[in-house]
Amino acid sequence: MKKEMNNMKVTTKLALGLSVTAAAGIASTVFVSDKVITKVRHIANRKKAERFVEDKFKGNETLLKFVDNLEDKDIESFMKVAQKVSSKRDKVAEYGDNVKNATENVKDKIADLIEHNC
């Protein structure tokens, strides 16, 4: 009976040890995965910033070196600003189209008015 209790304690301790080891392994994997995902995001943002310099500033070497020397958090801030500017530019273009359409409608109505009154 004492031997069975001893075996049960060993089994319980072994199961507990394996559980703790598994939990630690999962936590490590999640932590490492998060770091990898963050690093990949930073690399992608840096490449986008470099493409931006290539496209908008014809690959200006000074600006490319500047981008190379920026920290990841600065690149991320830059990308957020660029996204906001792009979004605003799209809205301005949309408003411009609406104004153009409204102007054409008014022009057509004035032309119709003149045509009917003359």
Side-chain angles (χ1 to χ4, degrees):
M1 177 96 156
K2 193 173 188 182
K3 190 175 181 180
E4 287 178 19
M5 290 285 277
N6 226 4
N7 282 342
M8 200 162 120
K9 286 182 181 178
V10 169
T11 305
T12 304
K13 287 179 183 178
L14 185 60
L16 183 60
L18 289 174
S19 296
V20 168
T21 302
I26 291 170
S28 297
T29 302
V30 168
F31 179 74
V32 169
S33 295
D34 186 49
K35 283 193 162 254
V36 168
I37 289 169
T38 300
K39 188 66 178 171
V40 168
R41 188 180 72 243
H42 288 257
I43 290 169
N45 282 343
R46 187 171 298 277
K47 290 297 177 194
K48 287 178 187 175
E50 289 171 355
R51 280 194 305 264
F52 178 81
V53 171
E54 290 287 338
D55 292 343
K56 303 298 182 191
F57 299 101
K58 299 180 180 151
N60 183 295
E61 287 297 319
T62 304
L63 288 175
L64 284 172
K65 286 179 186 175
F66 177 75
V67 168
D68 286 341
N69 291 322
L70 287 175
E71 293 184 20
D72 291 336
K73 64 179 182 164
D74 296 328
I75 294 283
E76 197 163 319
S77 295
F78 172 78
M79 294 309 296
K80 286 179 183 176
V81 169
Q83 288 172 345
K84 286 182 182 178
V85 167
S86 178
S87 172
K88 299 293 184 198
R89 183 177 29 182
D90 292 344
K91 286 182 182 177
V92 167
E94 184 180 321
Y95 292 142
D97 287 342
N98 290 342
V99 168
K100 180 181 173 186
N101 290 338
T103 303
E104 287 176 7
N105 287 340
V106 168
K107 184 177 91 173
D108 291 343
K109 287 181 181 181
I110 291 173
D112 285 346
L113 244 165
I114 292 172
E115 199 173 285
H116 288 82
N117 288 330
C118 290

